[in-house]
Amino acid sequence: LSNFACPKGSYCPAGQRIDILCPVGTFSNQTGRTSTAACQKCTPGYYCETNGLKEPSGKCQAGYYCVNGSADPTPTIQDYGGQCPAGYYCPAGSDKGIPCPVGTFRPTVLATKINDCHACSPGKVCNATGLVAPSGKCAAGYYCGANASEPTPIESSSNGRCTLGHYCPEDSGFPLPCAAGTYAPEKGLAE
């Protein structure tokens, strides 16, 4: 018995030459282990789909996240992970979702990359991370193009105070021209 070393991917009860495979959802990359406690839960972001693994089977699939010894690259049991939630994206190997950035939102599950987050709709505001819908409207006297993060945005090529000769009611995605025969002598008019 003294020359016997329990192989990787298993454990051998003390004093025995019987190797017992580490269970699904775990792995062991060391020899000479004597109890099931020596089998590690699968690394977060990875899955361990069979018995007796020396290392995780692979990365969790993009659009999903894996935790707590997941045995599946697309877990459906919440304790082991799940679909990437709305408002987030999950590249391959995720152990949690990454929130869509300010100025964007994601209304559905299973996003895999930052480009799956939608630019905030014109006239709307997305002022936090991880949104599933725009968080508000552009303020009267201002216009908010795509990706707006404030209801009274700083001047840029697609956002700002309503321009001369135009008016911007609440929820404006762009300045509206004044009616024929009228004018707007100052910036920021709402009507």
Side-chain angles (χ1 to χ4, degrees):
L1 283 177
S2 61
N3 292 335
F4 179 74
C6 197
K8 293 179 182 181
S10 61
Y11 65 96
C12 302
Q16 297 183 25
R17 286 183 173 246
I18 300 168
D19 58 311
I20 301 170
L21 299 177
C22 286
V24 170
T26 68
F27 72 100
S28 176
N29 58 7
Q30 298 179 3
T31 60
R33 297 307 186 179
T34 59
S35 76
T36 187
C39 300
Q40 299 173 234
K41 276 189 178 180
C42 204
T43 309
Y46 290 78
Y47 68 100
C48 296
E49 72 181 335
T50 61
N51 293 322
L53 292 174
K54 298 171 187 134
E55 60 186 27
S57 303
K59 288 183 176 183
C60 191
Q61 183 173 307
Y64 291 82
Y65 66 97
C66 297
V67 294
N68 293 328
S70 179
D72 189 337
T74 57
T76 56
I77 299 172
Q78 188 174 8
D79 289 347
Y80 298 107
Q83 295 179 338
C84 197
Y88 293 76
Y89 63 98
C90 299
S94 293
D95 64 344
K96 61 184 176 188
I98 301 167
C100 288
V102 169
T104 67
F105 69 101
R106 171 74 186 184
T108 57
V109 298
L110 297 173
T112 62
K113 57 193 177 301
I114 193 168
N115 291 346
D116 291 337
C117 301
H118 302 292
C120 202
S121 310
K124 304 297 182 200
V125 175
C126 296
N127 65 357
T129 61
L131 294 175
V132 298
S135 53
K137 297 177 180 180
C138 194
Y142 291 83
Y143 64 98
C144 300
N147 291 25
S149 60
E150 297 295 327
T152 56
I154 296 173
E155 302 277 336
S156 73
S157 61
S158 61
N159 302 299
R161 255 177 100 83
C162 205
T163 56
L164 292 174
H166 296 83
Y167 68 101
C168 300
E170 182 182 57
D171 209 15
S172 292
F174 52 88
L176 300 171
C178 292
T182 66
Y183 71 100
E186 59 190 62
K187 287 180 150 188
L189 294 181
E191 320 181 330

